[in-house]
Amino acid sequence: QVQLVESGGGLVQPGGSLRLSCAASGIIFSNNGMGWYRQAPGKQREMVAHITSGGNTNYADSVKGRFTISRDNAKNTVYLQMNSLKPEDTAVYYCNAWWIYEYWGQGTQVTVSL
């Protein structure tokens, strides 16, 4: 059974930082590309960051220079370091894994507010 379990969300003030984690099980983690997506209320889900099995990364323009995606294949975990957070970063953040099939986590809420 495939599981992607996100953690690390919460409430943070503008300008603050959070680190999201996504622990994967039931997949050959090192073969999978991994990604973070987000969905704000009333908006479509959007890609935030991707990291391939080889470690190549890609970011949405809105988060470039502020967010960093990384992976630890020994821990079957992908991370999203989020710095200089803005209120518009408020959303549910989802972990995604893709190789032969695509899988999604249940999401973790990130709220950026005073």
Side-chain angles (χ1 to χ4, degrees):
Q1 182 181 359
V2 176
Q3 282 193 311
L4 302 177
V5 181
E6 301 101 332
S7 60
L11 173 64
V12 63
Q13 293 186 350
S17 298
L18 283 175
R19 188 175 83 152
L20 305 183
S21 300
C22 171
S25 60
I27 60 173
I28 304 174
F29 183 80
S30 59
N31 286 355
N32 277 260
M34 301 297 296
W36 288 96
Y37 288 70
R38 67 186 181 188
Q39 187 167 18
K43 295 188 177 181
Q44 289 188 335
R45 190 174 297 190
E46 62 176 358
M47 186 276 289
V48 175
H50 279 162
I51 185 166
T52 69
S53 58
N56 294 316
T57 58
N58 185 41
Y59 297 91
D61 287 343
S62 58
V63 306
K64 281 181 181 176
R66 299 189 298 122
F67 291 10
T68 303
I69 188 170
S70 62
R71 63 189 298 157
D72 185 338
N73 288 344
K75 295 182 178 180
N76 286 3
T77 301
V78 63
Y79 304 97
L80 185 68
Q81 178 66 45
M82 305 187 293
N83 298 328
S84 302
L85 282 160
K86 304 175 180 180
E88 51 263 44
D89 295 318
T90 295
V92 178
Y93 283 70
Y94 297 91
C95 178
N96 170 267
W98 83 93
W99 181 34
I100 299 173
Y101 300 103
E102 185 175 34
Y103 302 99
W104 293 90
Q106 81 288 349
T108 185
Q109 176 70 46
V110 172
T111 303
V112 185
S113 179
L114 291 171

